[in-house]
């Protein structure tokens, strides 16, 4: 029985083998909880001030351009400077922006425009930070533990995604937006302290300064790799068509279940963490491209069902299944990225990865808000889910090398493994 459980439960090897991974795991857990509090409080405050689904969806528009620009630049920056410094400074900056939200919420009549300004600023800082964080994983975690590390990071992220939204609705309802923003500030303060304990992560001695030429070099590498292209394209398509989170407040109204808004935001995370907590088997799988395809298709089918059914409990179950599908796809993408991308391009490719899994949701917010204003909330949800399934099927047919990816035979995966083994041998010597 113990052996069977060990085959299902998450592989904890990265936590045991890497001090840096342990620190980042705890840091991420703390900051994610606070971030999700603000992530829910912010659109709720916009809804309270405007009562407009389009105004809430417009958050995606103001976040999009900063995310694209700073995500690409952040990738080049992560290859050129100490990644620890990038993470530390951006965490501090995010704490300052949370303080702006707190001050605005305490005004007798809170202003609308600072909410959009802060949303754009958060998007810019997140774009700078994520390539440094993501590219650091492949350096601090052994090659054969990368899938396990991705699963553990997912558990960490989803714990915040469950607790943050679930409590945010209650906190905003009973204590106001300001209290939610105060919790966010506290989370970033603790995160900065933990980041100070990280070891330096300097760039290679021959690293080039961040430049447009370097960004283009990374983009050319990604374009020349059909497997990578497939992971980016499928994720962006899935999120663009089937990311209805921004209109959840209006879906809750349609279902006469305003009390369930926090649960709606948390349901996907419950499904994700359920899959993560039973992910031990994923470390023994070699065909991670199938994870990407089947997970994204499952996400789309579940979102379709969530928009179609009118019973709130059925909708919550569907959102949970969607989260499980998204988690499966995410494990596949993360593993392929870390297994195949060479160290000297890791930061720049991580910048492109930020765009693939962040631009899609931002555009999806715009699509969902505009569609809901035109057709109604529920049709905007289920039609997007159907479009997601269709687009995933089309992309899988156009990019068959993603479907047949095998970590034991793929040339890039074998080259990356040899590169890391050589670096480890040099360090040991």
């Amino acid at each position: 029985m113990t052996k069977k459980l060990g085959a299902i439960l998450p592989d904890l090897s990265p936590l045991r083998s890497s001090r840096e991974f342990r620190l980042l795991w705890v840091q991420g857990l703390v900051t994610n909880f606070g971030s999700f509090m603000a992530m829910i409080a912010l659109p709720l405050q916009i809804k309270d001030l405007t009562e407009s689904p389009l105004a809430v969806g417009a958050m995606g528009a103001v976040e999009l351009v900063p995310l694209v620009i700073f995500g690409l630049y952040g990738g080049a920056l992560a290859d050129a400077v100490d990644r620890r410094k990038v993470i530390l400074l951006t965490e501090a900056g995010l704490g300052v922006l949370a303080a702006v939200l707190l001050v605005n919420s305490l005004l007798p009549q809170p202003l609308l425009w600072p909410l959009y300004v802060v949303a754009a600023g958060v998007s810019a800082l997140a774009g700078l930070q994520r390539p440094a964080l993501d590219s650091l994983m492949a350096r601090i975690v052994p090659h054969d533990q990368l899938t396990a590390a991705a699963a553990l990071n997912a558990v960490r992220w989803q714990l915040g995604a469950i607790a943050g939204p679930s409590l945010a609705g209650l906190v905003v309802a009973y204590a106001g937006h300001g209290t939610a923003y105060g919790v966010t500030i506290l989370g970033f303060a603790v995160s900065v302290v933990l980041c100070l304990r990280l070891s330096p992560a300097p760039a290679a001695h021959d690293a080039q300064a961040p430049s447009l030429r370097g960004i283009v070099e990374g983009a050319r590498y990604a374009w020349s790799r059909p497997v990578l292209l497939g992971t980016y394209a499928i994720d962006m398509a899935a999120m663009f068509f089937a990311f209805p989170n921004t209109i959840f407040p209006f879906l809750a109204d349609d279902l006469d279940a305003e009390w369930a808004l926090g649960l709606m935001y948390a349901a996907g995370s419950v499904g994700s963490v359920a899959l993560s907590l039973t992910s031990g088997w994923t470390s023994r799988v070699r065909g991670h491209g199938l994870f990407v395809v089947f997970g994204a298709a499952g996400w789309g089918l579940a979102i379709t069902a969530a928009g179609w059914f009118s019973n709130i409990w059925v909708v919550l179950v569907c959102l949970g299944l969607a989260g499980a599908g998204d988690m499966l796809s995410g494990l596949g993408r993360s593993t392929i990225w870390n297994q195949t991308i060479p160290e000297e391009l890791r930061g720049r490719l991580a910048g492109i990865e930020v765009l693939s899994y962040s631009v899609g949701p931002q555009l999806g917010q715009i699509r969902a808000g505009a569609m809901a204003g035109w057709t109604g909330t529920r049709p905007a949800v289920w039609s997007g889910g159907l479009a997601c399934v269709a687009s995933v099927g089309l992309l899988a047919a156009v990019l068959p090398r993603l479907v047949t990816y095998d970590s034991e035979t793929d040339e890039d995966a074998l080259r990356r493994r040899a590169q890391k083994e050589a670096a480890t041998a040099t360090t040991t010597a």
Side-chain angles (χ1 to χ4, degrees), residues 263-274:
L263 295 177
M264 292 173 68
Y265 279 111
S269 298
V270 172
S272 294
V273 80

Side-chain angles (χ1 to χ4, degrees), residues 27-344:
Q27 173 267 334
L29 181 65
V30 173
T31 195
N32 282 347
F33 176 79
S35 296
F36 275 107
M37 290 286 287
M39 189 182 299
I40 304 306
L42 186 55
L44 279 177
Q45 190 172 18
I46 294 176
K47 175 180 180 290
D48 292 343
L49 292 174
T50 66
E51 290 298 330
S52 167
L54 186 58
V56 177
M59 279 182 59
V62 302
E63 292 169 342
L64 180 59
V65 174
L67 184 62
V68 172
I69 294 174
F70 288 93
L72 290 173
Y73 180 75
L77 190 68
D79 280 335
V81 302
D82 189 327
R83 293 167 185 173
R84 170 183 173 272
K85 291 182 179 179
V86 176
I87 297 168
L88 177 62
L89 292 175
T90 50
E91 283 292 285
L94 289 168
V96 171
L97 291 178
V100 173
L101 291 176
L102 173 60
V103 171
N104 182 64
S105 70
L106 297 177
L107 296 176
Q109 293 183 331
L111 302 173
L112 179 62
W113 65 265
L115 304 184
Y116 291 113
V117 172
V118 169
V122 169
S123 184
L125 289 175
L128 284 174
Q129 183 189 84
R130 287 305 297 266
L133 269 174
D134 291 348
S135 60
L136 195 57
M137 288 299 139
R139 179 183 292 189
I140 64 176
V141 176
H143 188 85
D144 59 352
Q145 296 177 12
L146 288 172
T147 302
L152 290 171
N153 280 336
V155 171
R156 177 204 65 193
W157 192 86
Q158 297 300 345
L159 287 175
I162 294 170
S166 299
L167 294 178
L170 296 175
V171 169
V172 171
Y174 293 102
H177 300 93
T179 302
Y181 298 141
V183 172
T184 301
I185 295 171
L186 179 61
F188 282 120
V190 175
S191 175
V192 167
V193 173
L194 291 170
C195 286
L196 287 170
R197 299 187 60 195
L198 289 170
S199 300
H205 68 279
D206 56 349
Q208 300 177 357
S211 66
L212 180 60
R213 181 179 179 180
I215 294 172
V216 171
E217 181 184 358
R220 285 176 178 168
Y221 180 87
W223 185 259
S224 69
R225 298 302 192 272
V227 174
L228 291 180
L229 276 181
T231 64
Y232 301 148
I234 284 180
D235 188 43
M236 289 188 69
M239 293 297 102
F240 173 73
F241 289 115
F243 190 78
N245 292 33
T246 192
I247 57 173
F248 277 174
F250 302 93
L251 181 60
D253 289 345
D254 282 0
L255 299 176
D256 194 26
E258 293 85 353
W259 56 269
L261 177 59
L263 295 177
M264 292 173 68
Y265 279 111
S269 298
V270 172
S272 294
V273 80
L275 187 116
S276 299
L277 291 174
T278 56
S279 62
W281 59 276
T282 61
S283 295
R284 299 183 293 277
V285 174
R286 292 165 23 182
H288 299 100
L290 293 175
F291 284 8
V292 178
V293 173
F294 289 133
W299 160 271
L301 286 173
I303 292 296
T304 301
W308 186 261
F309 290 106
S310 58
N311 182 285
I312 182 58
W313 295 108
V314 176
V315 170
L316 290 173
V317 170
C318 291
L319 293 176
L321 292 173
D326 185 45
M327 185 69 261
L328 183 63
S329 181
L331 283 178
R333 294 194 308 272
S334 178
T335 302
I336 289 173
W337 294 340
N338 285 322
Q339 284 182 342
T340 63
I341 297 173
E343 173 63 24
E344 63 271 16

